[in-house]
Amino acid sequence: MFKKLSPNIKSSITRSISQSFEQYMSDIGWSEEQYDIEQFYANWREYITTKALWYEKIPEEIKSNPQFHKELAQRVEDVLMRILNDPPAEEQIAQIEILQEQLNTHYEYGCKAEAVYVQNLLETKAEQLKK
């Protein structure tokens, strides 16, 4: 069923998963201890039903089909695995290391998305120290 959706809708679904996951992880400070897959799904479900334009374009008979939900869950898992396995860029690593040295911090990060979070956090701290 998922495969029958238009490429635009599939792309929008993937983007919404990525954006929701990165926002959720940012909200919890990329803390493994605070991570709760059920909470992420609840956040994503709220997003798609209240803000996602693609959701209303999917016919009700597809949205109510258990096979669609199974395929959608697989897409979520695939997207999360891709995000978590995407390594930080060399430039990101270098910038983070410079900031960590300047700020005497020791944040760890395992993927590109988490590195973006850490870099933004460190840049904000650096800006606050300049004031």
Side-chain angles (χ1 to χ4, degrees), residues 4-94:
K4 292 180 183 177
L5 298 174
S6 76
N8 287 343
I9 290 178
K10 289 191 281 191
S11 178
S12 294
I13 291 170
T14 299
R15 265 194 317 278
S16 72
I17 296 165
S18 296
Q19 291 170 342
S20 295
F21 180 70
E22 290 175 23
Q23 181 61 54
Y24 171 72
M25 293 305 291
S26 180
D27 290 347
I28 63 167
W30 279 84
S31 168
E32 289 180 34
E33 293 80 28
Q34 292 184 38
Y35 178 76
D36 179 357
I37 189 72
E38 294 302 320
Q39 185 59 53
F40 162 70
Y41 270 115
N43 291 1
W44 185 60
R45 211 171 4 260
E46 179 182 340
Y47 171 80
I48 66 172
T49 57
T50 62
K51 298 177 185 164
L53 299 176
W54 59 264
Y55 189 74
E56 60 194 41
K57 294 178 183 175
I58 297 176
E60 285 301 319
E61 62 270 11
I62 292 177
K63 287 192 268 190
S64 64
N65 189 304
Q67 182 62 33
F68 174 70
H69 289 278
K70 182 179 178 184
E71 292 171 10
L72 191 56
Q74 183 60 52
R75 174 62 73 130
V76 170
E77 184 178 325
D78 292 345
V79 170
L80 298 187
M81 291 307 296
R82 190 184 75 235
I83 291 169
L84 295 172
N85 289 313
D86 188 15
E90 297 279 331
E91 187 176 300
Q92 276 182 302
I93 294 169

Side-chain angles (χ1 to χ4, degrees), residues 78-128:
D78 292 345
V79 170
L80 298 187
M81 291 307 296
R82 190 184 75 235
I83 291 169
L84 295 172
N85 289 313
D86 188 15
E90 297 279 331
E91 187 176 300
Q92 276 182 302
I93 294 169
Q95 186 61 36
I96 289 170
E97 293 307 312
I98 289 168
L99 288 165
Q100 295 226 69
E101 192 172 306
Q102 289 173 352
L103 298 169
N104 194 29
T105 60
H106 304 286
Y107 290 97
E108 294 183 15
Y109 47 94
C111 65
K112 187 179 223 171
E114 187 176 14
V116 167
Y117 169 78
V118 169
Q119 186 173 353
N120 289 338
L121 183 71
L122 294 171
E123 287 171 351
T124 299
K125 286 184 179 200
E127 283 298 315
Q128 289 173 346

